[in-house]
Amino acid sequence: MRPTPLRPLLLACSLALGTVSMTATAQDRHAHAATTDGTLLSISASAEASRVPDIATLSTGVVTQAADANGAMRANAEQMTRLTAAIKAAGIAERDVQTSGINLSPQYRYAENQPPAITGYQASNSVNLKVRDVRRLGAVLDALVASGANQINGPTFEIDDADAVQDEARAAALKKAQQRAEVYAASLGMRVRRIVSISENGGFQPPRPMLAMRAVAQDASSPVSPGETTLTANLDVVFELGR
């Protein structure tokens, strides 16, 4: 039985594989050239969007003192019960009230060359509040003090639907970046092909005072100026320019 000649078959396979390899290499080079024949332009742009805040947060509480620890805590509980009732009467929902701290500590008298001596005890209880109608904030503050609150910190202001305001700033920043890219492209006799990438660094600015908002009520409530809360969008956009 005569052996089958393999040399012609191997030569044909080698030629076929070489053709496939050369074709693939040419295609890769063509694809690489297609992705790098443009000019990349990086632009940083920022924009702001502002709103009058519609939510105020603050903390309030009661501090009491007594000769013994039990007396300080009992007096604090009684006063805090009245404060809690006033908070509810002011229309603040339970979900917007959160205890932030309860503390009991001894009070000392210090004298030279003598160890500290306990003179009594101080108890404190504080809660964080969220007021969802900023126009009523002055009246709420007055009601808290009238019910026995002797500690108030705040307020701080925020926007309830902050995402919508942030999106407005994002859209404005992107539009600004696109306009700048068009200017560069026109100056070079080119056109903007596409956006290659977008990266974002968010931003926040504190409330801006608004003097016109100072008189928010007709009565003698504590004056409150919510100002404006500003959200900032900072974008880094890479464009591809071409002929």
Side-chain angles (χ1 to χ4, degrees), residues 157-212:
F157 297 98
E158 60 185 273
I159 302 171
D160 188 21
D161 189 9
D163 288 342
V165 181
Q166 187 71 63
D167 287 343
E168 181 179 324
R170 291 186 180 105
L174 182 57
K175 183 178 181 180
K176 186 181 295 185
Q178 289 173 316
Q179 290 173 342
R180 291 179 182 173
E182 294 291 348
V183 171
Y184 282 109
S187 299
L188 296 170
M190 306 175 78
R191 64 181 178 84
V192 177
R193 285 179 174 173
R194 64 189 180 101
I195 294 177
V196 177
S197 66
I198 301 176
S199 59
E200 176 184 345
N201 294 312
F204 168 79
Q205 291 186 3
R208 299 174 177 175
M210 293 179 59
L211 298 180

Side-chain angles (χ1 to χ4, degrees), residues 1 96 149 154:
M1 187 173 180
D96 294 327

Side-chain angles (χ1 to χ4, degrees), residues 28-53:
D28 291 343
R29 289 176 180 173
H30 178 73
H32 180 71
T35 58
T36 58
D37 64 348
T39 299
L40 297 183
L41 171 66
S42 178
I43 291 180
S44 297
S46 62
E48 299 177 349
S50 301
R51 293 288 188 280
V52 175

Side-chain angles (χ1 to χ4, degrees), residues 214-239:
R214 200 169 283 280
V216 294
Q218 298 294 327
D219 55 18
S221 298
S222 299
V224 176
S225 178
E228 276 191 343
T229 297
T230 300
L231 301 180
T232 304
N234 300 303
L235 301 181
D236 293 319
V237 187
V238 177
F239 297 88

Side-chain angles (χ1 to χ4, degrees), residues 23-229:
T23 303
T25 301
Q27 290 176 346
D28 291 343
R29 289 176 180 173
H30 178 73
H32 180 71
T35 58
T36 58
D37 64 348
T39 299
L40 297 183
L41 171 66
S42 178
I43 291 180
S44 297
S46 62
E48 299 177 349
S50 301
R51 293 288 188 280
V52 175
D54 46 12
I55 292 179
T57 58
L58 65 142
S59 64
T60 185
V62 172
V63 178
T64 54
Q65 294 180 342
D68 61 272
N70 187 47
M73 289 296 291
R74 185 168 57 249
N76 191 277
E78 293 173 358
Q79 212 164 322
M80 197 65 193
T81 299
R82 293 194 296 270
L83 177 59
T84 301
I87 292 172
K88 184 176 181 179
I92 299 176
E94 290 186 8
R95 65 188 177 99
D96 294 327
V97 182
Q98 184 180 53
T99 298
S100 57
I102 298 175
N103 185 61
L104 175 66
S105 58
Q107 302 298 293
Y108 295 95
R109 182 181 67 246
Y110 297 92
E112 189 175 356
N113 299 324
Q114 293 184 7
I118 295 177
T119 59
Y121 289 85
Q122 176 175 289
S124 63
N125 191 335
S126 57
V127 294
N128 292 329
L129 305 179
K130 182 174 288 188
V131 180
R132 297 184 182 273
D133 186 354
V134 175
R135 296 171 298 178
R136 297 185 56 250
L137 181 57
V140 170
L141 293 174
D142 293 344
L144 297 177
V145 175
S147 67
N150 53 21
Q151 273 195 340
I152 294 179
N153 295 296
T156 59
F157 297 98
E158 60 185 273
I159 302 171
D160 188 21
D161 189 9
D163 288 342
V165 181
Q166 187 71 63
D167 287 343
E168 181 179 324
R170 291 186 180 105
L174 182 57
K175 183 178 181 180
K176 186 181 295 185
Q178 289 173 316
Q179 290 173 342
R180 291 179 182 173
E182 294 291 348
V183 171
Y184 282 109
S187 299
L188 296 170
M190 306 175 78
R191 64 181 178 84
V192 177
R193 285 179 174 173
R194 64 189 180 101
I195 294 177
V196 177
S197 66
I198 301 176
S199 59
E200 176 184 345
N201 294 312
F204 168 79
Q205 291 186 3
R208 299 174 177 175
M210 293 179 59
L211 298 180
M213 294 293 295
R214 200 169 283 280
V216 294
Q218 298 294 327
D219 55 18
S221 298
S222 299
V224 176
S225 178
E228 276 191 343
T229 297

